Amino acid sequence: AIHISGTDLTTGRGIFMDTADAEKEIVIDKDYGRTGSHDGTIIKISSDKSSQTGDGNTYSQVGITSSISDANQNHANATNTVKNLYLTSNMGYADGTTSMYGIHNVVTGDADDVAGFYSNVNNEYVDIKLVSSADTGDYCSIATGANGSTVIRTNDDDNSGDDAVAHFEIAADGDITLDASGQIKLEPLAGN
């Protein structure tokens, strides 16, 4: 419906939108009715670098950059939530061969530093939080702080002391190796 050719752009923007107080700047509502084979990609971004980065130069290629901020002091009785990326996936029926992924990440190639997921969160908070679909107060969290100190914690929302059931199990289809530069400590509940 709209085709923009910006092959001669060396600076500037192909599309620039400057809004204020809008509800939703861009809305895509796709109604899918095909019954045959189809690649239903809604947004596709492709960027291929074919030039050699020159001696002493620095090149950075980013597929998507998103930055949002709540930068003002809010009223004490207000409720504010900031979510930079919010995803939901649903499959109503599991007939046939089905797969569903919230995030499907594939990283290939060689580099000096590679990470499938990179998280940098203030040290007093958790980096990853995995919640139960039955009760979001039941969760497992992973937090990394100063000096790389890392804690994996489970939480039972209905914890009443000794009968807490937020168990932690390692089910390895192979060896379990504990390779510590310091001591290996086992600290069970008193009496156990």
Side-chain angles (χ1 to χ4, degrees):
I2 299 175
H3 180 89
I4 299 173
S5 178
T7 56
D8 293 333
L9 280 175
T10 55
T11 59
R13 301 168 177 86
I15 298 175
F16 177 79
M17 182 184 299
D18 187 359
T19 66
D21 298 331
E23 284 272 333
K24 299 173 180 67
E25 278 74 11
I26 298 175
V27 176
I28 298 174
D29 183 0
K30 178 177 180 178
D31 298 315
Y32 180 72
R34 298 188 187 188
T35 57
S37 298
H38 177 61
D39 177 4
T41 301
I42 297 175
I43 297 176
K44 180 178 180 180
I45 298 173
S46 177
S47 176
D48 297 310
K49 177 182 177 293
S50 59
S51 59
Q52 183 185 56
T53 302
D55 184 20
N57 294 321
T58 300
Y59 178 78
S60 175
Q61 185 170 216
V62 179
I64 298 174
T65 297
S66 177
S67 175
I68 59 175
S69 174
D70 185 347
N72 205 339
Q73 183 174 0
N74 299 298
H75 192 278
N77 292 327
T79 301
N80 300 278
T81 302
V82 175
K83 297 180 182 181
N84 200 315
L85 181 63
Y86 180 77
L87 305 172
T88 60
S89 301
N90 178 60
M91 186 175 294
Y93 299 94
D95 300 327
T97 302
T98 58
S99 299
M100 185 163 46
Y101 305 92
I103 297 175
H104 187 132
N105 186 30
V106 178
V107 179
T108 60
D110 296 321
D112 293 328
D113 186 17
V114 178
F117 178 80
Y118 180 90
S119 177
N120 184 339
V121 179
N122 288 346
N123 286 347
E124 64 267 30
Y125 303 113
V126 301
D127 288 85
I128 299 174
K129 187 173 184 179
L130 312 170
V131 303
S132 165
S133 60
D135 182 353
T136 58
D138 297 334
Y139 63 84
C140 169
S141 65
I142 303 174
T144 299
N147 305 314
S149 175
T150 300
V151 175
I152 300 176
R153 176 176 284 114
T154 62
N155 183 74
D156 175 13
D157 197 26
D158 297 322
N159 184 357
S160 58
D162 293 348
D163 61 347
V165 292
H167 305 306
F168 181 77
E169 176 182 348
I170 300 174
D173 190 12
D175 297 337
I176 295 176
T177 301
L178 301 177
D179 187 356
S181 296
Q183 299 179 19
I184 296 176
K185 303 178 182 181
L186 300 178
E187 302 176 357
L189 186 68
N192 291 334

